């Protein structure tokens, strides 16, 4: 995914996500509980919607995106004192090993060509016993209509590299060493699987 696409999309991202408000309200409530008094890293923060809504519960949040324009948008308006916005590449993070209690990556793994690299970096910077919060858009199956909104995004140049179903996304996380400890499928214009994960113990 090219930075230029997200730089162009940055000014309207928040408006585009308003159609998913009920989903975001659910995530805000769940994530506030998960990050309480913890040091948090958010990847692919976009305009900072999640970070700004949950910062009050956390000890500190470092919210990052690889798009400079997204970070510029995120810095607009009121920013809590314990929230820092930075430019960062999720597949090659500049942070030290075991730096964070919680890592959040929402609605991003499906657009990354090699999401396994992102999960490996998350594992590196996450403290032992830490939490990965990885809500992600999922592909509908069965009798319900196809994801028309996803098709519209493709016309804008935003393509899903992976069109996971809920089951396939769960299997992807498991294959990369993560155990889902809490999950919920949230229907919307694009359905979402909310997932909280713990790193499975490595085999000796």
């Amino acid at each position: 995914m090219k930075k230029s696409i997200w730089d162009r999309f940055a000014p309207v991202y928040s408006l585009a996500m308003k159609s998913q408000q009920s989903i975001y309200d659910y995530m805000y409530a769940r994530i506030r509980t998960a990050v309480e008094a913890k040091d948090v890293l958010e990847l692919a923060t976009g305009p900072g919607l999640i970070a700004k809504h949950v910062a009050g519960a956390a000890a500190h949040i470092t919210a990052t995106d690889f798009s400079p324009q997204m970070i510029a948008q995120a810095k607009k308006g009121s920013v809590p004192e314990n929230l820092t916005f930075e430019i960062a590449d999720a597949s090659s993070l500049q942070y030290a090993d075991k730096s964070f209690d919680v890592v959040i990556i929402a609605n991003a793994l499906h657009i990354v060509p090699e999401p396994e690299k992102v999960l490996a970096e998350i594992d590196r910077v996450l403290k032992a016993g830490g939490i990965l919060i990885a809500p992600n858009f999922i592909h509908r199956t069965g009798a319900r209509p196809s994801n028309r909104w996803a098709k519209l995004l493709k016309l804008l140049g935003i393509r899903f590299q992976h069109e996971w179903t809920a089951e396939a996304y769960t299997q992807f996380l498991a294959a990369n060493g993560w155990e889902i400890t809490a999950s919920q499928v949230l229907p919307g214009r694009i359905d979402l699987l909310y997932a909280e994960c713990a790193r499975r113990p490595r085999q000796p």
Side-chain angles (χ1 to χ4, degrees), residues 101-149:
D101 302 302
V102 180
V103 176
I104 303 167
I105 180 165
N107 301 329
L109 288 171
H110 65 292
I111 59 173
V112 178
E114 296 180 282
E116 298 85 358
K117 288 185 177 181
V118 175
L119 289 179
E121 277 294 89
I122 290 171
D123 182 35
R124 181 181 65 78
V125 302
L126 196 61
K127 295 177 183 178
I131 301 170
L132 165 62
I133 301 176
N136 209 85
F137 291 137
I138 53 174
H139 189 64
R140 292 175 184 168
T141 58
R144 297 184 65 196
S146 62
N147 283 324
R148 295 175 183 174
W149 187 243

Side-chain angles (χ1 to χ4, degrees), residues 12-51:
V12 297
Y13 183 93
S14 296
L15 291 175
M17 290 300 103
K18 280 189 177 296
S19 64
Q20 302 281 89
Q21 192 60 52
S22 62
I23 287 176
Y24 274 80
D25 287 343
Y26 175 91
M27 289 199 295
Y28 298 151
R30 285 285 316 197
I31 294 172
R32 283 190 198 103
T33 299
V35 304
E36 187 172 359
K38 292 180 169 63
D39 289 322
V40 181
L41 172 66
E42 187 187 11
L43 307 175
T45 190
L49 296 176
I50 292 175

